[in-house]
């Protein structure tokens, strides 16, 4: 008797910059990878704007060096979390816009891996209990808007970006969307078993976070504990989850 092949469980994570995913959902991604999910991480920008704020050499060569460093750090972090691959779309860091081009690039990745789950940043700012300036970087908002537009209707609709049909990417429907940092959180993941992986992945991002991350690790644990208390868990990451029915 011949058995039909089991469809792989595939997830696509779309963020603006290297280290965005580690901060927002690193523990969740490690947990999913351990469960057998094949996870592709898409970084929309080239990371070239991640140098020191007071830098004076910000020319093309300096930007390329920073980009190369951050890409290598992101690849290392992805290995720590157990992700399948990292895709860099290479839009200029700091200038990301939710263009049709970016939407098409994300649709291409959704269709390529037949993503069942998509994780993205929030397209909306959160003002309570206090507005977090770094969380709502304009690149984050742009990546989020483009991703949600890619999920519906473009990824599942042949009429959107017909050139992708010619590339061999037929429509593909995303089943679940998980939004990080959203104004309303309705889904939580216990990361007690994967918090160390999350912290180890963050330690890969030396160019942004430094070598000694003792204080950062304490803050990350505190954030996870505070989120967990809201849902009766020791350590957690939370999302706004919605099914695409």
């Amino acid at each position: 008797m011949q058995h039909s092949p089991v469809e792989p469980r595939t997830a696509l994570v779309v963020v603006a910059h290297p280290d965005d995913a580690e901060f927002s959902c690193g523990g969740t991604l490690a947990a999913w990878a351990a469960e057998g999910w094949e996870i592709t991480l898409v970084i929309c920008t080239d990371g070239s704007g991640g140098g020191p704020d007071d830098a004076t050499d910000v020319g093309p060569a300096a930007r390329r060096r920073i980009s190369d460093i951050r890409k290598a750090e992101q690849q290392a972090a992805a290995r720590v979390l157990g992700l399948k691959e990292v895709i860099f779309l290479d839009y200029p860091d700091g200038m990301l816009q939710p263009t049709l081009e970016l939407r098409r690039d994300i649709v291409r990745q959704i269709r390529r891996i037949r993503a069942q789950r998509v994780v993205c940043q929030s397209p909306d700012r959160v003002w309570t209990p206090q507005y977090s300036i770094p969380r709502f970087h304009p690149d984050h908002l742009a990546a989020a808007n483009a991703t949600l537009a890619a999920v519906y209707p473009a990824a599942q609709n042949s009429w959107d970006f017909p050139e992708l049909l010619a590339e061999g990417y037929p429509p593909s429907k995303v089943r679940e969307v998980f939004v990080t940092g959203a104004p309303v959180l309705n889904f939580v993941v216990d990361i007690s078993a994967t918090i160390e992986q999350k912290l180890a992945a963050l330690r890969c991002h030396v160019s942004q976070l430094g070598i000694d991350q003792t204080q950062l690790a304490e803050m990350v644990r505190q954030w996870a504990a505070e989120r967990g208390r809201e849902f009766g868990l020791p350590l957690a990451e939370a999302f706004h989850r919605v099914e695409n029915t």
Side-chain angles (χ1 to χ4, degrees):
M1 182 176 176
Q2 196 170 26
H3 294 280
S4 58
V6 177
E7 184 180 10
R9 292 183 290 176
T10 53
L12 188 76
V13 184
V14 184
V15 294
H17 309 114
D19 83 20
D20 284 352
E22 285 75 16
F23 272 113
S24 62
C25 57
T28 298
L29 300 184
W32 289 354
E35 293 171 3
W37 284 83
E38 296 180 0
I39 303 171
T40 294
L41 174 60
V42 171
I43 308 295
C44 293
T45 74
D46 60 5
S48 64
D53 287 350
D54 59 354
T56 55
D57 178 7
V58 293
R63 295 184 74 92
R64 281 195 299 273
R65 283 194 300 273
I66 291 170
S67 178
D68 290 344
I69 290 169
R70 297 190 73 187
K71 287 179 178 180
E73 290 172 344
Q74 183 62 80
Q75 292 282 14
R79 289 191 291 271
V80 169
L81 296 177
L83 310 189
K84 182 179 180 181
E85 60 181 346
V86 182
I87 304 294
F88 297 97
L89 299 183
D90 278 340
Y91 287 83
D93 192 353
M95 295 186 280
L96 195 66
Q97 295 292 318
T99 61
L100 287 173
E101 181 184 13
L102 176 59
R103 187 190 306 180
R104 182 180 59 217
D105 286 345
I106 297 169
V107 169
R108 182 183 287 110
Q109 297 305 321
I110 292 173
R111 292 186 183 184
R112 180 180 69 85
I113 72 166
R114 317 298 291 172
Q116 298 162 18
R117 288 178 174 174
V118 165
V119 182
C120 69
Q121 293 162 298
S122 174
D124 299 306
R125 292 175 169 87
V126 176
W127 296 92
T128 57
Q130 185 175 354
Y131 179 71
S132 171
I133 291 175
R135 182 188 293 179
F136 301 107
H137 187 298
D139 285 355
H140 297 180
L141 302 176
N145 275 298
T147 302
L148 291 173
V151 166
Y152 183 86
Q156 66 191 59
N157 183 11
S158 294
W159 300 90
D160 281 82
F161 306 118
E163 61 270 31
L164 294 180
L165 292 176
E167 292 180 23
Y169 299 125
S172 180
K173 185 174 182 177
V174 175
R175 299 174 188 172
E176 303 173 284
V177 179
F178 297 78
V179 181
T180 68
V184 177
L185 301 171
N186 62 5
F187 187 85
V188 68
V189 175
D190 186 343
I191 63 167
S192 303
T194 56
I195 185 67
E196 295 304 327
Q197 272 178 278
K198 177 185 177 84
L199 295 174
L202 284 168
R203 286 196 295 273
C204 294
H205 295 281
V206 174
S207 71
Q208 306 303 297
L209 306 175
I211 295 174
D212 183 0
Q213 297 183 21
T214 306
Q215 286 187 319
L216 175 64
E218 290 174 1
M219 283 195 301
V220 169
R221 288 181 186 277
Q222 182 181 341
W223 295 336
E226 289 172 356
R227 186 63 73 204
R229 273 195 295 274
E230 298 174 35
F231 295 89
L233 295 171
L235 298 170
E237 290 172 342
F239 306 83
H240 186 89
R241 174 187 175 272
V242 63
E243 294 183 5
N244 182 23
T245 56

